[in-house]
Amino acid sequence: MTAPTAPTMPTAQPVLDFHVRLAPRPGAAGRLLAAMDEHGLTRAVVCAGGTVDLDTLARQLVEGGHVETDADNDAVLAACSGPDGKGRLVPFWFANPHRPPGVYRERAAEFRGLEVSPAVHGVALTDPRVAALVEVAADFGHPVYTVCLDRPGAGVADLVALARRFPRTDFVLGHSGIGNIDFHALALIRDEPRIRLETSGGYTCVAEAAIDRLGAARVVFGTEFPLQHPAVELAKFAAIGTPPEQWRQIAWENAHRLLGEEKP
């Protein structure tokens, strides 16, 4: 029996990883940049990590609960504006809805986007505190990244409702929806063109279906580094044989459009 041919990794074109984490630990920025270099990632959107330990987060995902800890957005900004990260790392503000939205507003001009996380802070997408944060994002032209949960107020349908309240704001549904095979998420966001799908974590069948059902222009590549190895997420698109023209959209052009930048 002939062994299957390994898929070709899709790194011949530039890649903007739309979702990586930066934990407030010594050397974290250097490790991120080294991983990017090793795997051909040209740029990355950076959100704060380490706001909650992984054991607690895993429990919250199953049982509920939350923390009210602030993310270390200053560490993200320092890494992105440093001599090695400037131009390569793009800072997003990881909001804490337990704080007044003015905290974000005062710093928004220093950042390029917003993340809200019902999984970490336990505040639903239907909560007025989240709407107040999205209003700030709308004022500054920031895209909004979030991960949905199978929980009242935090589902993909709730994201759709939020997006309809802010029709000129771009939203990114992280981790391919809820779980690994969320075809239902694709159906829910299909008619909402300002919602894109970021593909880290989901199965290859979902990535392939997203390209087919939403179009490559609404799919963005992300890794969730350091929790996920970049090679794994790159292999996903190699395995489904993503054509070069679609890969350039997913890995480069769509992200720059979300950031309000002309694609290089």
Side-chain angles (χ1 to χ4, degrees), residues 63-74:
E63 299 178 355
H66 69 279
V67 300
E68 299 187 10
T69 310
D70 291 325
D72 195 342
N73 292 305
D74 287 330

Side-chain angles (χ1 to χ4, degrees), residues 110-127:
E110 302 173 84
F111 292 80
R112 303 291 302 282
L114 169 69
E115 178 178 4
V116 290
S117 176
V120 172
H121 290 115
V123 179
L125 299 175
T126 53
D127 192 293

Side-chain angles (χ1 to χ4, degrees), residues 26-38:
R31 288 190 291 273
L32 167 60
L33 289 163
M36 290 171 61
D37 290 340
E38 181 181 357

Side-chain angles (χ1 to χ4, degrees), residues 45-47 70-71 73-74 76-77 91-117 121 128-146 162 166 169-171 258-259:
V45 165
V46 185
C47 293
D70 291 325
N73 292 305
D74 287 330
V76 168
L77 189 62
F92 269 38
W93 177 269
F94 195 147
N96 182 352
H98 298 283
R99 308 291 184 206
V103 176
Y104 169 39
R105 184 176 290 279
E106 289 175 1
R107 303 288 305 278
E110 302 173 84
F111 292 80
R112 303 291 302 282
L114 169 69
E115 178 178 4
V116 290
S117 176
H121 290 115
R129 290 172 290 181
V130 170
L133 289 165
V134 176
E135 186 173 352
V136 177
D139 289 344
F140 283 85
H142 286 176
V144 179
Y145 180 97
T146 193
L162 181 63
F166 297 91
T169 298
D170 290 312
F171 292 81
L258 283 164
L259 296 171

Side-chain angles (χ1 to χ4, degrees), residues 125 148-149 154-161 173 177-178 182 184-186 188-189 195:
L125 299 175
C148 290
L149 305 172
V156 178
D158 300 303
L159 173 60
V160 170
L173 171 58
I178 300 171
D182 195 357
H184 186 50
L186 303 181
L188 288 172
I189 70 172
I195 302 179

